[in-house]
């Protein structure tokens, strides 16, 4: 849970069509919109988190999925794509060659 340390796991869940339950860095909202995941830090206990997940209705779940889809199609998500990674790598290699 270090600021700026974001793993691929939250994105893997989104790309797989799931709503992530995430317990990551305190600045996660700088990278991923908060309406795209369930933040485990928002719950005082695991029991409360499980309760929230069990009682989530289909409307709320579908809202998460819609928000995720919009995010994944946005420029903000592009920085996490393989295309972005390869373009950056190519740029570095081109500069060195």
């Amino acid at each position: 849970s270090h600021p700026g340390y974001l793993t691929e796991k939250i994105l893997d869940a989104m790309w797989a069509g799931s709503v992530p339950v995430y317990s990551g860095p305190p600045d996660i909202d700088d990278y991923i919109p908060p309406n795209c995941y369930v933040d485990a830090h928002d719950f005082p206990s695991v029991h409360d988190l499980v309760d929230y997940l069990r009682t989530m209705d289909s409307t709320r779940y579908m809202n998460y999925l819609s928000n995720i889809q919009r995010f994944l199609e946005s420029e903000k998500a592009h920085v996490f794509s393989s295309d972005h990674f390869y373009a950056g790598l190519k740029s570095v290699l081109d500069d060195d060659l």
Side-chain angles (χ1 to χ4, degrees):
S1 247
H2 299 287
Y5 181 72
L6 177 71
T7 69
E8 77 288 350
K9 292 163 186 68
I10 190 169
L11 295 159
D12 287 347
M14 290 177 178
W15 285 321
S18 299
V19 176
V21 176
Y22 197 67
S23 177
D27 59 348
I28 183 68
D29 294 351
D30 292 346
Y31 307 97
I32 310 287
N35 62 358
C36 292
Y37 64 96
V38 176
D39 190 343
H41 295 123
D42 290 344
F43 299 88
S45 70
V46 172
H47 176 75
D48 291 324
L49 171 59
V50 170
D51 222 25
Y52 174 79
L53 296 173
R54 283 189 176 161
T55 60
M56 184 185 302
D57 62 22
S58 60
T59 301
R60 181 172 295 207
Y61 185 77
M62 294 308 291
N63 282 338
Y64 276 115
L65 292 179
S66 294
N67 295 331
I68 289 167
Q69 190 61 40
R70 273 193 302 280
F71 169 68
L72 292 177
E73 293 170 356
S74 73
E75 189 59 33
K76 192 169 182 182
H78 179 71
V79 299
F80 299 110
S81 72
S82 56
D83 290 341
H84 182 77
F85 173 79
Y86 294 131
L89 181 61
K90 182 180 180 317
S91 175
V92 168
L93 292 174
D94 287 345
D95 290 346
D96 285 347
L97 298 177

